[in-house]
């Protein structure tokens, strides 16, 4: 039975993998990965040991031997998979739901574990394609710029040894989240990006505090992207050229400080630490374990999209009239096409923007879980009362509507409404109405957070508000339109939000959370990006019509 | 009002054409579009509704090129795609309101039309239910209602009766007939009786080419003398299917009564019968549908 289940899983994986590799979207992902790898290989972005001596920053990087290129590309691949892998892999179960394939599968003898295992294996196929792309780029780079003999075994070996196990883990998380209705959408994307960022941040902080060689085995076992292993393997080579080195014993990503001296050290390869084998095996097993766990919440019969559960506002709306003895629903005796004449329409010339705006606003606000509305109301109350830190309110107000924004642009595609829109008299009107609805929602959320800034700084504060309001909905709409998924926007937005409003990097603070952007060029830049994105969305619509 | 297609073609790749060199003139009335799977019916409909642009040729609505001026036809268009979607969190009424807004109706007119269409499609009692809870047939009726919401002068419906029970199917046919008096209706379907019951004209499409565009009577007449019925042995049925277009079979105690389209009498005891539109369709399409 297990053997048959495994065989079925391979069939599921094979079909899923073939479907995905024939998608042009994967080409875009691979192009982005290759570009990132190229930037890394040409030194625009590097793994650097850094120290400060007498106020001067010193950077240390390895000479581009096969081993060094393989090791650093492996760490890069793992980092890419940690942050982007979930978003690349996650569409598989969703696609089966939207195409109805899940219903076909549900009627077959395929067990849930076979189906989910198949999806996981398909994910690993995509992970392999990504790593092969990255490894191939590194191989070519070494042939062109490298030092010593080009050793494909070291390059591809390191890329896969570091990257693939993490891919197994991320694939497992993906399967698990997609199996839980609540986590299959935006909430899961938010949870994942928070988890990934927190995980990496914590380990980097530990590494910088203690150094790779002094960290405990347990902490090293949690080294997801291989930074500790890379540190442990190359640190002696670093000390050979810099015996007095006093910086962290783990290299970190960087572009090198401006004007800093860069010293190279030679590392021609070495033995992987024993604990790293356990670490990588653990990630693979964790991935399998997550698939097993996913079989518990996974519901093959009734996916989240087809649920008949009514949103809370709808239930409330129906509760009121019934409570007060209002409208009752009576089974009518009318039949299709009988005894009803149709009012002739003589005027089809209504510009209808106002009506369209109302409709789009309804679509934007409808269908979210009850706690989202409660949270939105709480943000409004707290923000307007001025009782909480403006920074905290602005940060939260800039993330809460993510559930709304992420449906923009992509909603019509996913619900197959596009033919109605492009064959209507208002294909551009619909686009602008959707954007305007997004602007209104953004203005409300950012407004309740930024009103103290506007009150305090006047026009400059208004520009901060306007920059955010112009930026977010247009960015969301263009991302949704072009990618036909909400994940591109969610990933991009979450990263900018995490770095800017949440962590206080003012140059990326589009929401004015830091209180440092009023009077600076930052709001103008984000506003400009928003206008360009809106024009991009209009241009994209012109291709559709 | 007239919709005219002049050498319209749509190429998907170097040597794959969805439709090719279609010349057609559609005046007021119901025009049935018949053809096997992959004949190009949906491609043609997407071009006529401006969802897709033709690679070659021109489509004119009342003399205006709709590729250059798509708004001309979008203003008066009702469209039911074969595979359409709905917003699952909207109710039936809200969804129709949304389409009415897209089609440029003011609120008063939209409300009146939606009330009537909900009644016509028997959706009044579920008008405030979210569309995600609708069955396939109910959803299809919402699709029909949205196609009619702006009282279109050009109505393009692709497989409108798919998923409907027989009674509702008949009523939808009647509905289409009743609204077709002074407008152009293009009805694509695999269900020949639907065309037979409603259409003033039939366009036959196969392999992306227009085989004929004529009235059903002429089509049937052209097949007169080519349709036979006779009693055959069950073991001969496969051979008969290989040799002729079998229109229908009826199991009987002493064999199978077969109805075939053939240019010559298929068996000595075969008797010539009056052809139906389905026979005429098979006669014209031949084996194309299975190639």
């Amino acid at each position: 039975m297990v053997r048959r289940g495994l065989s079925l899983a391979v069939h599921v994986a094979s079909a899923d993998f073939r479907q995905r590799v024939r998608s042009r979207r994967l080409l875009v992902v691979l192009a982005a990965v290759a570009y990132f790898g190229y930037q890394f290989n040409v030194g625009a972005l590097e793994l650097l040991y850094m120290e400060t001596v007498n106020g001067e920053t010193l950077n240390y990087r390895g000479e581009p031997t096969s081993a060094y290129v393989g090791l650093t590309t492996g760490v890069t691949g793992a980092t890419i998979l940690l942050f982007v892998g979930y978003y690349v892999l996650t569409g598989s179960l969703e696609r089966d739901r939207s195409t109805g394939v899940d219903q076909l599968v549900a009627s077959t003898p395929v067990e849930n574990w076979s189906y989910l295992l198949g999806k996981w294996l398909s994910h690993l196929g995509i992970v392999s394609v990504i790593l092969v792309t990255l490894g191939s780029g590194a191989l070519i780079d070494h042939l062109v710029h490298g030092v010593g003999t080009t050793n494909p075994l070291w390059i591809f070996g390191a890329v896969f040894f570091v990257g693939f196990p993490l891919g197994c883990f991320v694939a497992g998380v993906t399967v698990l989240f997609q199996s839980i209705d609540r986590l299959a959408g935006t909430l899961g994307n938010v949870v994942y990006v928070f988890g990934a960022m927190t995980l990496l941040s914590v380990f980097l902080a530990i590494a910088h505090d203690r150094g790779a060689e002094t960290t405990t085995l347990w902490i090293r076992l949690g080294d997801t992207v291989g930074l500790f292993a890379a540190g442990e393997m190359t640190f002696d080579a670093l000390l050979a050229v810099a015996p007095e080195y006093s910086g962290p014993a783990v290299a970190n990503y960087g572009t090198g400080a401006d004007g800093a001296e860069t010293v190279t050290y030679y590392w021609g390869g070495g033995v992987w630490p024993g604990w790293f084998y356990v670490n990588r095996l653990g990630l693979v097993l964790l991935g399998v374990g997550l698939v097993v766990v996913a079989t518990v919440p996974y519901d093959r019969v009734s996916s989240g999209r087809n649920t008949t559960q009514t949103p809370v506002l709808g239930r409330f709306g129906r509760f009121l009239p019934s409570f007060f003895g209002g409208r009752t629903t009576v089974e009518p005796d009318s039949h299709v096409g009988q005894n009803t004449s149709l009012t002739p329409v003589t005027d089809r010339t209504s510009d209808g923007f106002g009506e369209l705006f109302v409709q789009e606003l309804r679509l934007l606000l409808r269908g979210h879980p009850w706690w989202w509305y409660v949270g939105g109301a709480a943000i409004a109350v707290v923000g307007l009362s001025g009782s909480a830190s403006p920074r905290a309110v602005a940060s939260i107000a800039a993330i809460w509507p993510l559930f709304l924004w992420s449906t923009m642009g992509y909603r019509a595609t996913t619900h197959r409404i596009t033919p109605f829109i492009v064959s209507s008299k208002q294909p551009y009107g619909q686009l602008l109405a959707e954007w305007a609805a997004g602007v209104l929602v953004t203005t409300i959320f950012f407004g309740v957070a930024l009103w103290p800034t506007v009150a305090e700084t006047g026009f400059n504060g208004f520009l901060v508000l306007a920059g955010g309001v112009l930026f977010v909905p247009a960015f969301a709409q263009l991302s949704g339109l072009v990618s036909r998924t909400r994940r591109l926007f969610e990933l991009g937005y979450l990263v900018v939000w995490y770095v800017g409003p949440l962590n206080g990097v003012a140059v990326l603070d589009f929401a004015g959370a830091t209180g440092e952007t009023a009077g600076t060029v930052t709001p103008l830049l984000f506003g400009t990006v928003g206008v360009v994105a809106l024009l991009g969305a209009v241009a994209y619509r012109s291709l559709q019509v | 009002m007239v919709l005219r297609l002049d050498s319209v073609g749509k190429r998907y790749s170097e040597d794959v054409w969805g439709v090719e060199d279609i010349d057609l003139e559609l005046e007021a009335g119901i025009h049935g579009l018949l053809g096997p799977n992959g004949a190009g019916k949906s491609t043609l409909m997407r071009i006529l509704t401006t969802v897709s642009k033709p690679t070659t040729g021109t489509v004119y609505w009342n003399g205006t090129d709709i590729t250059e001026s798509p708004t001309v036809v979008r203003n008066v268009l009702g469209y039911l795609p074969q595979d359409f979607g709905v917003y699952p969190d909207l109710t039936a009424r809200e969804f129709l309101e949304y389409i009415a807004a897209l089609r440029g109706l003011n609120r008063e007119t939209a409300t009146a039309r939606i009330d009537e269409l909900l009644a016509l499609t028997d959706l009044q009692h579920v008008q405030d239910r979210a569309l995600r809870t609708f069955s396939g047939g109910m959803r299809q009726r919402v699709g029909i209602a949205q196609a009619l919401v702006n009282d279109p002068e050009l109505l393009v419906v692709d497989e409108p009766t798919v998923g409907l029970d027989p009674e509702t199917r008949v009523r939808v046919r009647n509905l289409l007939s009743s609204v077709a008096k002074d407008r152009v209706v293009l009805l694509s379907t695999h269900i020949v009786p639907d065309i037979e019951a409603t259409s003033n004209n039939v366009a036959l499409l196969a392999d992306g080419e227009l085989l004929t565009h004529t009235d059903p009577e002429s089509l049937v007449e052209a097949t007169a003398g080519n349709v036979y019925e006779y009693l055959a042995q069950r073991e001969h049925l496969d051979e008969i299917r290989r040799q002729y277009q079998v229109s229908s079979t009826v199991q009987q105690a002493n064999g199978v009564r077969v109805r075939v389209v053939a240019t010559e009498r298929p068996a000595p005891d075969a008797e010539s019968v009056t052809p139906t539109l389905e026979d005429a369709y098979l006669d014209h399409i031949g084996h194309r549908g299975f190639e």
Side-chain angles (χ1 to χ4, degrees):
Chain A
M1 185 176 164
V2 171
R3 194 171 167 180
R4 183 165 179 268
L6 289 173
S7 168
L8 288 170
V10 170
H11 284 294
V12 169
S14 168
D16 194 67
F17 180 72
R18 274 184 277 184
Q19 165 66 31
R20 295 165 94 176
V21 293
R22 287 167 192 171
S23 159
R24 275 178 291 183
R25 279 187 222 172
L26 183 62
L27 284 179
V28 175
V29 170
L30 293 181
V33 167
Y35 177 76
F36 190 77
Y38 173 77
Q39 292 296 315
F40 192 81
N41 289 328
V42 298
L45 184 67
E46 295 179 286
L47 267 178
L48 298 168
Y49 288 102
M50 284 179 269
E51 68 171 339
T52 305
V53 179
N54 299 327
E56 298 287 325
T57 303
L58 276 174
N59 294 326
Y60 299 91
R61 66 171 166 82
E63 289 187 38
T65 61
S66 285
Y68 184 78
V69 167
L71 179 67
T72 52
T73 306
V75 172
T76 304
T79 307
I80 290 173
L81 287 171
L82 180 66
F83 284 104
V84 186
Y86 176 82
Y87 297 88
V88 173
L89 301 177
T90 197
S92 182
L93 291 185
E94 187 181 331
R95 187 182 53 251
D96 279 5
R97 282 175 187 149
S98 64
T99 56
V101 169
D102 67 334
Q103 293 176 41
L104 297 180
V105 174
S107 65
T108 68
V110 176
E111 299 280 351
N112 285 354
W113 69 266
S114 271
Y115 176 69
L116 295 177
L117 183 65
K119 291 294 178 186
W120 184 72
L121 291 173
S122 166
H123 291 345
L124 299 193
I126 300 297
V127 166
S128 301
V129 170
I130 290 172
L131 293 178
V132 165
T133 304
L134 210 52
S136 302
L139 186 77
I140 292 166
D141 174 68
H142 188 270
L143 282 168
V144 177
H145 306 291
V147 171
T149 311
T150 300
N151 184 341
L153 198 63
W154 243 112
I155 294 175
F156 281 101
V159 166
F160 269 82
F161 186 49
V162 181
F164 190 76
L166 184 66
C168 293
F169 172 69
V170 174
V173 174
T174 305
V175 170
L176 176 63
F177 278 25
Q178 289 295 297
S179 301
I180 302 170
D181 281 349
R182 289 270 182 224
L183 294 178
T186 301
L187 183 61
N189 294 345
V190 174
V191 168
Y192 182 83
V193 85
F194 262 106
M197 284 181 172
T198 305
L199 190 67
L200 194 62
S201 303
V202 166
F203 277 91
L204 279 176
I206 292 169
H208 280 256
D209 282 351
R210 305 190 193 184
E213 293 187 329
T214 56
T215 50
T216 64
L217 180 64
W218 285 110
I219 290 174
R220 277 181 284 169
L221 285 175
D223 176 20
T224 49
V225 298
L227 280 172
F228 283 83
E232 200 169 317
M233 291 170 79
T234 58
F235 197 62
D236 287 342
L238 166 70
L239 291 180
V241 297
E244 306 298 320
Y245 175 78
S246 58
V250 172
N252 195 3
Y253 286 101
T255 55
D258 287 340
E261 183 185 343
T262 299
V263 178
T264 57
Y265 59 89
Y266 182 87
W267 183 71
V271 179
W272 295 92
W275 61 265
F276 198 58
Y277 288 96
V278 179
N279 167 294
R280 298 288 102 177
L281 179 64
L283 285 172
V284 175
L285 294 177
L286 259 177
V288 177
L290 289 170
V291 175
V292 174
V293 172
T295 58
V296 177
Y298 177 68
D299 185 354
R300 66 190 285 167
V301 179
S302 160
S303 61
R305 281 172 179 274
N306 298 325
T307 178
T308 53
Q309 188 185 355
T310 314
V312 68
L313 284 188
R315 289 201 298 270
F316 189 63
R318 277 199 283 286
F319 166 75
L320 281 182
S322 63
F323 184 78
F324 292 109
R327 186 187 63 195
T328 54
T329 304
V330 179
E331 184 72 23
D333 55 2
S334 62
H335 294 286
V336 176
Q338 273 191 336
N339 303 328
T340 305
S341 61
L342 286 166
T343 303
V345 176
T346 51
D347 178 17
R348 303 184 191 90
T349 59
S350 167
D351 286 341
F353 184 79
E355 186 61 30
L356 264 180
F357 172 74
V358 171
Q359 300 293 339
E360 290 294 341
L361 188 62
R362 177 155 65 188
L363 282 169
L364 199 61
L365 294 172
R366 183 68 66 82
H368 303 288
W370 63 268
W371 48 263
W372 186 87
Y373 301 101
V374 173
I379 290 168
V381 170
V382 173
L384 289 172
S385 69
S387 58
S389 143
R391 180 170 178 168
V393 177
S395 296
I396 295 169
I399 192 66
W400 204 250
L402 181 69
F403 295 83
L404 275 62
W405 293 320
S406 66
T407 64
M408 293 178 68
Y410 123 101
R411 189 192 308 118
T413 303
T414 194
H415 294 304
R416 288 173 292 148
I417 302 294
T418 307
F420 294 135
I421 293 171
V422 298
S423 69
S424 77
K425 66 174 295 189
Q426 307 210 62
Y428 295 100
Q430 183 275 336
L431 191 78
L432 294 177
E434 185 187 51
W435 173 79
V439 164
L440 178 65
V441 169
T442 312
T443 305
I444 292 170
F445 273 90
F446 283 20
V448 298
L450 290 178
W451 72 264
T453 305
V454 176
E456 193 180 317
T457 61
F459 183 67
N460 284 335
F462 172 76
L463 283 182
V464 173
L465 176 63
V469 165
L470 283 173
F471 167 65
V472 182
F475 174 40
Q477 191 175 38
L478 179 63
S479 305
L481 267 177
V482 173
S483 69
R484 299 177 186 185
T485 160
R486 59 188 171 210
R487 291 192 296 277
L488 177 64
F489 168 71
E490 287 175 354
L491 177 62
Y493 183 81
L494 281 168
V495 170
V496 176
W497 173 81
Y498 187 87
V499 178
L502 192 65
N503 281 296
V505 177
V507 73
L508 288 180
D509 179 18
F510 59 88
T514 57
E516 298 170 12
T517 55
T520 70
V521 75
T522 301
L524 297 176
L525 284 176
F526 276 106
T528 305
V529 170
V531 171
V532 170
L534 178 62
L535 293 175
V538 172
Y540 188 82
R541 177 52 54 87
S542 75
L543 295 175
Q544 290 181 306
V545 301
Chain B
M1 57 192 70
V2 61
L3 183 72
R4 190 162 67 81
L5 289 78
D6 188 5
S7 303
V8 169
K10 178 74 181 179
R11 186 169 58 197
Y12 288 119
S13 63
E14 190 61 35
D15 52 357
V16 178
W17 288 78
V19 290
E20 196 169 5
D21 205 22
I22 303 281
D23 292 307
L24 197 56
E25 189 165 308
L26 309 178
E27 294 178 339
I30 299 186
H31 301 264
L33 191 56
L34 271 176
N37 292 330
K41 301 188 297 294
S42 292
T43 300
L44 190 60
M45 294 193 144
R46 288 169 63 83
I47 291 171
L48 301 183
T49 54
T50 73
V51 174
S52 174
K53 290 190 174 101
T55 312
T56 62
T58 315
V59 181
Y60 299 96
W61 172 250
N62 293 334
T64 305
D65 180 346
I66 67 167
T67 306
E68 279 183 1
S69 310
T71 312
V72 170
V73 76
R74 286 174 186 162
N75 282 341
V76 295
L77 176 70
Y79 178 35
L80 174 63
Q82 183 179 358
D83 182 25
F84 69 96
V86 294
Y87 286 129
D89 291 319
L90 294 190
T91 65
R93 172 174 286 280
E94 288 168 346
F95 184 68
L96 294 177
E97 286 171 358
Y98 181 72
I99 298 294
L102 282 174
R103 297 278 177 213
L105 266 60
N106 61 48
R107 184 172 276 264
E108 295 74 31
T109 311
T111 303
R113 288 286 294 188
I114 289 167
D115 284 340
E116 293 157 2
L117 284 165
L118 285 168
L120 268 173
T121 51
D122 199 19
L123 292 169
Q124 274 172 316
H125 61 296
V126 290
Q127 61 177 302
D128 293 325
R129 259 173 55 182
L131 288 169
R132 74 152 77 82
T133 66
F134 276 33
S135 68
M138 290 159 74
R139 207 169 142 280
Q140 188 70 12
R141 281 184 271 153
V142 172
I144 291 162
Q146 68 77 29
L148 293 167
V149 77
N150 61 333
D151 195 12
E153 291 176 18
L154 171 62
L155 176 62
V156 179
V157 284
D158 201 349
E159 302 284 1
T161 56
V162 162
L164 301 179
D165 59 68
E167 188 193 7
T168 308
R169 213 182 89 206
V170 170
R171 295 189 191 286
V172 167
R173 288 194 324 214
N174 292 342
L175 178 62
L176 289 176
S177 296
S178 67
V179 300
K181 289 188 182 75
D182 51 358
R183 70 200 74 208
V184 179
V185 179
L186 188 60
L187 162 66
S188 168
T189 180
H190 285 107
I191 304 169
V192 180
D194 281 356
I195 301 265
E196 208 161 25
T198 57
S199 301
N200 313 96
N201 287 285
V202 180
L204 281 186
L205 216 57
D207 297 334
E209 293 174 23
L210 181 68
L211 301 182
T212 183
H213 179 223
T214 183
D215 58 274
E217 295 78 21
S218 302
L219 203 63
V220 170
E221 262 175 39
T223 308
N226 288 352
V227 183
Y228 298 90
E229 275 190 14
Y230 63 102
L231 192 66
Q233 298 304 306
R234 284 192 184 84
E235 56 269 28
H236 295 157
L237 200 51
D238 287 343
E239 180 60 27
I240 294 168
R241 285 198 168 112
R242 271 193 291 275
Q243 281 190 323
Y244 308 107
Q245 287 287 312
V246 176
S247 176
S248 67
T249 58
V250 179
Q251 298 290 333
Q252 294 185 348
N254 52 348
V256 183
R257 184 148 196 89
V258 292
R259 182 184 178 98
V260 300
V261 180
T263 50
E264 56 191 29
R265 191 177 295 275
D269 59 339
E271 54 182 287
S272 181
V273 293
T274 307
T276 63
L277 187 59
E278 195 149 11
D279 299 322
Y281 170 74
L282 288 174
D283 192 22
H284 278 80
I285 296 296
H287 283 283
R288 285 170 184 260
F290 303 102
E291 283 169 359

